[in-house]
Amino acid sequence: MMRMFTALGLGLFLFLAGSYEAPAHSLKSLENRLNDKEKYFQALGKDAMDELFNQTKGIYVNEPTTLNQQVFPKQIAFNVIPHIDVFMDDGYTREEWKMVVETKKILDPKIKLTATCVRVPVFIGHAEAISLEFAEPISDTQARSALKKAPGIIVIDHRADEGYVTPAECAGEDQVYVSRIRSDPTIDNGLSLWVVSDNLRKGAALNTVQIAEELIKNHLT
């Protein structure tokens, strides 16, 4: 089975990566996925970004955060909110439901997954802590090698201070960055990794252009 814990948005490894063949899925049969998705909010527009800025500024002068709280249901400055979009009857939010549906649609309808989507006080970028369970054994070395060959992905994984990528570093970039690749000893054939990207560049307009280019190059000629 495949499980994903999401501390975050694009919960989809393939969707985030923008590869037309998902490198993790093609390397070994993927069964389960756990996603933790940290989602930032430049996509929500200026009001959301202003709310974070004004709450942050207000905290330093002992101003109640409720004076600057219109967009988010709880304080966002110096806080995280495990709530994106509306709640559904099963306890998941619509954003979490979309991650499940889109992953199954893009990769494989038989994949089992779960996700938790969280707003964090960062202006730009999406990040995901992903746990993957495969049908066959896979080492972190194999995964790292396969991901390095995938278009649109940059692997920065040095297992040292500053040897990984954060949302602050991916802002304005078209690539998807993968770090913290390691085996997950809690499940059979498990792998854990950390993925970040600028969600306005990758996952929105750029994906549309790249899909069109792929269709023209390999399917419409």
Side-chain angles (χ1 to χ4, degrees):
M1 88 188 209
M2 165 184 158
R3 298 173 294 173
M4 278 167 90
F5 291 112
T6 294
L8 148 85
L10 302 174
L12 315 173
F13 193 30
L14 169 60
F15 190 57
L16 264 177
S19 304
Y20 304 108
E21 180 181 12
H25 191 246
S26 60
L27 181 63
K28 300 284 184 179
S29 177
L30 185 61
E31 292 192 332
N32 299 288
R33 177 170 174 169
L34 290 156
N35 243 36
D36 290 321
K37 178 179 180 182
E38 286 92 44
K39 191 164 186 179
Y40 315 111
F41 35 81
Q42 82 272 45
L44 291 179
K46 183 176 182 297
D47 288 344
M49 299 177 77
D50 285 347
E51 186 162 314
L52 170 60
F53 177 82
N54 290 328
Q55 282 188 8
T56 302
K57 183 175 62 174
I59 284 173
Y60 284 106
V61 294
N62 296 318
E63 183 177 275
T65 57
T66 51
L67 295 180
N68 296 293
Q69 187 175 318
Q70 288 82 38
V71 178
F72 299 105
K74 288 182 178 285
Q75 172 186 324
I76 185 61
F78 302 101
N79 198 15
V80 295
I81 303 174
H83 172 197
I84 300 178
D85 213 327
V86 298
F87 280 96
M88 303 177 72
D89 291 341
D90 60 2
Y92 284 84
T93 65
R94 183 169 176 80
E95 180 74 11
E96 292 156 356
W97 172 82
K98 286 191 295 184
M99 288 183 64
V100 172
V101 171
E102 291 172 357
T103 299
K104 288 176 176 286
K105 180 173 65 176
I106 294 171
L107 291 180
D108 188 334
K110 296 189 294 294
I111 289 176
K112 299 176 184 179
L113 64 150
T114 184
T116 300
C117 298
V118 181
R119 291 281 183 203
V120 299
V122 174
F123 285 116
I124 295 176
H126 280 183
E128 294 187 1
I130 304 175
S131 292
L132 304 166
E133 183 176 355
F134 295 85
E136 302 171 32
I138 177 174
S139 69
D140 54 349
T141 301
Q142 287 176 298
R144 194 175 293 105
S145 176
L147 289 168
K148 285 181 177 179
K149 298 173 184 176
I153 292 177
I154 294 179
V155 175
I156 298 180
D157 186 26
H158 299 302
R159 299 185 176 180
D161 291 350
E162 301 184 20
Y164 47 84
V165 178
T166 68
E169 289 122 37
C170 76
E173 299 289 333
D174 291 337
Q175 292 77 19
V176 174
Y177 292 87
V178 182
S179 307
R180 302 296 317 282
I181 303 168
R182 61 207 186 276
S183 297
D184 182 349
T186 67
I187 53 177
D188 294 334
N189 310 323
L191 197 70
S192 295
L193 41 80
W194 171 252
V195 181
V196 298
S197 71
D198 182 328
N199 59 302
L200 287 188
R201 298 180 70 93
K202 191 63 177 174
L206 180 62
N207 270 11
T208 302
V209 172
Q210 289 181 326
I211 290 170
E213 290 174 343
E214 176 72 8
L215 288 170
I216 292 170
K217 178 180 178 182
N218 294 319
H219 302 283
L220 299 180
T221 56

